[in-house]
Amino acid sequence: MTVCTTIDSPLGELLLVGEESPTAPGGVALASLSVPGQKGGATVRSDWRHDPAAFTEAAAQLRAYFDGELRDFDLEFTTQGSPFQQQVWQALDTIPYGTTTSYGKLAERIGAPRSAVRSVGTALGANPLLLVRPCHRVIGADGSLSGYAGGPERKQFLLTHEGALQPQLG
């Protein structure tokens, strides 16, 4: 059964969606984390059960992240994607907190040619676990904050929060 809840965050309301799992904390493996207006983000369906208690651990880790007390999430995920998408998403998990990499370097990391940059970008855009699977840490080769499904302002906020970008004055 699919369950969901929303929690407040500095990025706006987060929608957490999960699938029941006997091995996950709270009995739910996280399947999606999205923000309002996110390109390709989840939308609540009538057959989903609203169950905030099932996401107690995920909510606690998200709060700790935003409070600067947590750098790496320890949650069970259940996501669906092509083998290439899964490979790209697994590579995301190796990008350390407070750092960035480029689309080209991520392609190289998974053994794909640099010409696969667009395919890597498409796989990142399909990442259902915004924030906890850190696609915000992937930037353009020129340092531009391109291509984040949650929007450029949120990407900038997350990278600044993690210390990978200097705060913008003004």
Side-chain angles (χ1 to χ4, degrees), residues 7-88:
I7 62 170
D8 291 327
S9 83
L11 300 178
E13 186 177 72
L14 302 178
L15 172 61
L16 284 72
V17 180
E19 297 293 333
E20 292 180 336
S21 168
T23 59
V28 171
L30 193 61
S32 174
L33 189 155
S34 56
V35 295
Q38 177 182 329
K39 180 182 172 188
T43 51
V44 177
R45 295 181 16 187
S46 61
D47 59 335
W48 291 356
R49 186 179 83 237
H50 182 76
D51 186 358
F55 296 95
T56 302
E57 181 60 26
Q61 288 189 36
L62 286 162
R63 277 192 299 278
Y65 169 83
F66 286 117
D67 289 343
E69 300 166 358
L70 181 76
R71 291 176 171 225
D72 299 303
F73 293 95
D74 184 20
L75 299 168
E76 184 176 317
F77 304 141
T78 177
T79 54
Q80 310 243 337
S82 71
F84 181 77
Q85 287 173 327
Q86 295 286 349
Q87 187 178 21
V88 171

